Amino acid sequence: MGSKLGIVVSRKVGCAVVRNKIKRYIREYYRLHRPYFKKVGALIVVARPQIAGWTHEEIDAELESLLRQEGILDG
């Protein structure tokens, strides 16, 4: 089957434009790094309000750090 991605971004994060931008960044990271995932399953990302001011690069770096820390990402 393969890995699946779920993204949760509440209204506390910001207006619709900000929430959609964050979801696009997370989806893009997942799309580019999907071959490096060690485990097959569901990945659920919950964005907290602090992420609203982050850049694309900061979001990518944080996702990479968390996924490596948990042993989900390889390479």
Side-chain angles (χ1 to χ4, degrees), residues 29 60-70 73:
Y29 178 86
D60 284 355
E62 187 65 22
L63 280 171
E64 182 140 357
S65 171
L66 290 170
L67 292 173
R68 285 190 191 282
Q69 180 181 336
E70 294 301 319
L73 196 62

Side-chain angles (χ1 to χ4, degrees), residues 21-37:
K21 180 177 71 168
I22 291 167
K23 288 187 274 188
R24 277 196 312 272
Y25 290 166
I26 294 170
R27 267 192 239 106
E28 180 68 5
Y29 178 86
Y30 180 75
R31 184 183 71 82
L32 293 174
H33 293 84
R34 187 186 240 179
Y36 305 111
F37 279 49

Side-chain angles (χ1 to χ4, degrees), residues 27-64:
R27 267 192 239 106
E28 180 68 5
Y29 178 86
Y30 180 75
R31 184 183 71 82
L32 293 174
H33 293 84
R34 187 186 240 179
Y36 305 111
F37 279 49
K38 288 182 184 178
K39 302 174 182 176
V40 174
L43 176 65
I44 300 173
V45 179
V46 180
R48 299 291 181 203
Q50 298 88 344
I51 200 171
W54 291 14
T55 64
H56 192 178
E57 292 78 20
E58 290 172 323
I59 293 172
D60 284 355
E62 187 65 22
L63 280 171
E64 182 140 357

